[in-house]
């Protein structure tokens, strides 16, 4: 029965102008659409705000809308809900997870944390609300270095859950960090060999990379930064060609901002489409429309966890 309703709705949504219908629903619901750069181009084009994880959290913290439609992954929509307990937060596909969040279960992390009782816990925003609730400060790829630099030098730190970002931050700050052993399945798939082959084919190209990439790959990069930082760099640099070592969804914005420049995605090891985030790509324009029409799937959170998770996010926003 439910399956039949979903199928009928899908059929209906195929026959309407989704862009127009979403604009109408935005007005009707007083909704804002926040989208990450790794979303498909149509979603990026209809979003009210497009950004990296930090920018999206900052927008979620200050929005006056009644409904937040989060075109991103679960931990991002959950962060918006932590900041806005009284607003309706919709995620077009609830299965849009993240390998970093999934690779850091709360029970195991609690044991890990208990082993180092004197450590301050700094967690990358790519984690569940339960992990945030056990953390002292949250960070994103754009402020991780800045946040660690503000911690007194004699204070030991646990950094979770991304070991690659952790290693990068450790190198940039010259601080020893106790790392949780997690990683992003997308950024770990980039092939170093293919990257070097591309550099030989395009010797003038600059390699720009996200700090979630493995250390060996980052050694080839001319510039390392969050998605927003990479986008800005590609606009400001005098180079005409870029080899992009992050999820290729961002290339839509890079190309829009610099139509005369060339952007080459870094291929993955097996020549598959594994350089696209399988979680981010679960969201489609059709699912955005259906989520707004049905006012679900909705992000729900236990209030005790939300209150605990709110504090380290608030600290991040203050320290950014
Ligand atoms: P930023 O949005 O901080 O660039 O991180 C990229 C990412 O992988 C989000 O999941
Ligand atoms: Fe998670 Fe990696 Fe996908 Fe970002 S790109 S949502 S870190 S799996």
């Amino acid at each position: 029965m439910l399956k039949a309703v979903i199928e009928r709705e899908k059929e209906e949504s195929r026959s309407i102008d989704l862009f127009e219908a979403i604009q109408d629903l935005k007005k009707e619901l007083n909704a804002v659409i926040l989208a990450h750069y790794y979303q498909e181009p149509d979603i990026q084009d209809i979003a009210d705000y497009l950004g990296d994880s930090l920018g999206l959290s900052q927008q979620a913290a200050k929005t006056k809308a009644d409904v937040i439609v989060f075109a991103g992954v679960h931990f991002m929509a959950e962060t918006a809900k932590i900041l806005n307990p009284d607003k309706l937060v919709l995620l077009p596909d609830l299965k849009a997870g993240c390998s970093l969040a999934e690779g850091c279960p709360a029970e195991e992390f609690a044991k890990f944390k208990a082993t180092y009782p004197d450590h301050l816990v700094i967690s990358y925003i790519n984690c569940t609300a339960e992990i945030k609730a056990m953390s002292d400060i949250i960070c994103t790829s754009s402020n991780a270095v800045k946040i660690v630099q503000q911690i007194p030098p004699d204070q030991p730190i646990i950094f979770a859950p991304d070991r690659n970002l952790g290693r990068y931050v450790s190198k940039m700050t010259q601080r020893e960090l106790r790392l949780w052993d997690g990683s992003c399945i997308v950024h770990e798939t980039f092939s170093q060999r293919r990257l070097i082959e591309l550099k030989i084919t395009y010797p003038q190209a600059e390699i720009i990379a996200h700090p979630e990439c493995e250390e060996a790959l980052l050694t080839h990069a001319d510039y390392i930064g969050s998605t927003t930082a990479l986008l800005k760099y590609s606009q400001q640099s005098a180079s005409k060609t870029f080899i992009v070592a992050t999820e290729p969804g961002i290339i839509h914005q890079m190309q829009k901002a610099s139509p005369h420049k060339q952007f080459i995605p870094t291929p993955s090891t097996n020549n598959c489409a594994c350089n696209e985030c399988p979680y981010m790509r679960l969201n489609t324009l059709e699912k955005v429309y259906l989520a707004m029409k049905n006012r679900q799937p909705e992000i729900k959170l236990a209030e005790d966890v939300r209150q605990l998770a709110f504090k380290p996010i608030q600290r991040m926003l203050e320290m950014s």
Side-chain angles (χ1 to χ4, degrees):
M1 176 67 182
L2 182 65
K3 211 172 164 201
V5 174
I6 293 170
E7 279 313 310
R8 199 179 59 238
E9 283 191 327
K10 277 190 173 170
E11 200 47 54
E12 276 169 23
S13 64
R14 260 179 227 124
S15 59
I16 60 173
D17 181 334
L18 288 175
F19 275 88
E20 214 176 281
I22 290 171
Q23 296 295 4
D24 289 347
L25 281 166
K26 235 179 353 188
K27 280 188 214 128
E28 190 186 317
L29 299 174
N30 186 26
V32 66
I33 302 180
L34 306 181
H36 192 269
Y37 295 118
Y38 295 166
Q39 294 292 282
E40 63 176 38
D42 278 351
I43 297 182
Q44 294 191 29
D45 291 344
I46 204 154
D48 297 296
Y49 177 84
L50 190 62
D52 66 1
S53 305
L54 177 63
L56 289 164
S57 318
Q58 288 166 332
Q59 288 298 316
K62 67 181 185 197
T63 184
K64 298 267 186 295
D66 296 318
V67 177
I68 300 174
V69 184
F70 216 113
V73 289
H74 195 278
F75 75 81
M76 294 178 172
E78 200 171 54
T79 303
K81 185 69 182 178
I82 294 166
L83 291 164
N84 295 283
D86 300 328
K87 291 190 199 292
L88 175 64
V89 179
L90 300 170
L91 179 64
D93 192 321
L94 273 188
K95 290 195 282 303
C98 168
S99 66
L100 278 165
E102 285 161 21
C104 190
E107 254 179 55
E108 284 175 43
F109 187 70
K111 285 186 209 150
F112 179 73
K113 185 182 160 180
T115 320
Y116 308 104
D118 57 337
H119 283 49
L120 185 92
V121 179
I122 302 183
S123 295
Y124 188 28
I125 197 162
N126 299 36
C127 64
T128 61
E130 286 75 18
I131 300 297
K132 288 185 175 78
M134 280 186 256
S135 307
D136 297 298
I137 311 169
I138 298 302
C139 70
T140 75
S141 64
S142 58
N143 60 19
V145 170
K146 189 174 172 184
I147 285 178
V148 170
Q149 279 168 340
Q150 292 174 60
I151 310 300
D154 55 344
Q155 170 62 60
I157 300 171
I158 286 177
F159 190 93
D162 188 1
R163 63 166 181 256
N164 292 317
L165 177 64
R167 271 196 210 112
Y168 171 73
V169 173
S170 173
K171 192 174 161 194
M172 297 305 287
T173 57
Q174 298 291 305
R175 295 277 297 253
E176 197 185 322
L177 302 175
R178 182 78 51 190
L179 303 179
W180 176 266
D181 193 16
S183 64
C184 160
I185 50 164
V186 177
H187 289 83
E188 282 217 328
T189 195
F190 297 134
S191 160
Q192 213 188 142
R193 194 172 68 86
R194 302 291 308 279
L195 183 81
I196 294 165
E197 282 168 5
L198 279 174
K199 183 70 184 173
I200 293 166
T201 313
Y202 303 94
Q204 307 302 332
E206 278 193 281
I207 297 175
I208 56 175
H210 195 279
E212 284 177 16
C213 293
E214 284 183 318
E215 197 176 15
L217 195 129
L218 291 179
T219 57
H220 301 284
D222 296 295
Y223 181 77
I224 298 169
S226 78
T227 43
T228 295
L230 296 180
L231 175 60
K232 279 195 190 139
Y233 184 80
S234 72
Q235 289 170 259
Q236 287 158 4
S237 164
S239 292
K240 294 276 179 280
T241 310
F242 299 86
I243 300 167
V244 183
T246 192
E247 215 270 7
I250 182 90
I251 292 179
H252 181 58
Q253 290 309 313
M254 290 176 170
Q255 202 68 77
K256 259 173 122 174
S258 312
H260 304 300
K261 294 186 180 180
Q262 185 183 16
F263 299 97
I264 306 158
T266 306
S268 42
T269 331
N270 306 325
N271 244 350
C272 53
C274 323
N275 61 354
E276 288 184 1
C277 175
Y279 304 102
M280 287 275 185
R281 303 295 174 130
L282 282 176
N283 295 326
T284 59
L285 198 62
E286 190 182 58
K287 287 184 195 169
V288 170
Y289 162 72
L290 290 173
M292 293 174 82
K293 182 169 173 265
N294 299 325
R295 293 161 174 69
Q296 59 167 321
E298 179 189 355
I299 299 287
K300 289 187 180 151
L301 258 178
E303 182 54 17
D304 54 341
V305 176
R306 190 201 68 80
Q307 282 184 18
L308 287 170
F310 177 80
K311 288 182 199 154
I313 297 175
Q314 188 64 25
R315 244 168 251 144
M316 169 186 84
L317 295 172
E318 285 160 13
M319 291 170 86
S320 296

